[in-house]
């Protein structure tokens, strides 16, 4: 969320103080959210989204794609040296 929030703030050419005023939050709290030192509640997320004029989902980062480990892949793929048991 911190990265998306900072990106949107820069895109809209806002200072932390201006964003804080729009969202009715303290500038210190906005800065803490941007630095990922605190987590925003759902209500604060809504206030920030409204201040940015975006959907709240626009502030939440998409889930990371996790690549399976080698050992997990080896468990999935059959070993060509082994003969299947019938």
């Amino acid at each position: 969320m911190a990265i998306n929030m900072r990106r949107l703030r820069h895109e809209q050419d806002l200072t932390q103080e201006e964003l804080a005023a729009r969202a009715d939050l303290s500038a210190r709290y906005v800065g803490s959210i941007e630095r990922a030192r605190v987590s925003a509640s759902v209500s604060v997320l809504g206030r920030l989204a409204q201040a940015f004029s975006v959907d709240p989902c626009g502030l939440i980062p998409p889930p990371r794609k996790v690549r399976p480990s080698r050992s997990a892949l080896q468990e999935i793929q059959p070993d060509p040296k082994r003969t299947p048991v019938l």
Side-chain angles (χ1 to χ4, degrees):
M1 180 175 159
I3 294 168
N4 290 339
M5 191 170 137
R6 181 171 287 155
R7 179 186 48 79
L8 283 168
R9 188 172 61 76
H10 285 284
E11 284 176 1
Q12 295 185 17
D13 199 30
L14 295 170
T15 65
Q16 288 181 347
E17 291 80 11
E18 291 167 331
L19 175 59
R22 283 186 181 187
D24 196 27
L25 300 168
S26 76
R28 180 177 250 166
Y29 186 51
V30 168
S32 294
I33 296 169
E34 268 195 19
R35 287 187 304 280
R37 296 196 179 209
V38 297
S39 297
S41 66
V42 173
S43 61
V44 169
L45 175 69
R47 290 160 85 177
L48 288 168
Q50 189 172 21
F52 282 125
S53 298
V54 298
D55 186 80
C57 294
L59 289 172
I60 301 170
R64 287 184 175 178
K65 291 184 180 180
V66 178
R67 293 178 53 181
S69 66
R70 278 186 168 237
S71 60
L73 286 174
Q74 289 170 346
E75 289 176 20
I76 296 169
Q77 297 173 353
D79 185 352
K81 297 175 188 171
R82 298 176 90 184
T83 56
V85 177
L86 299 174

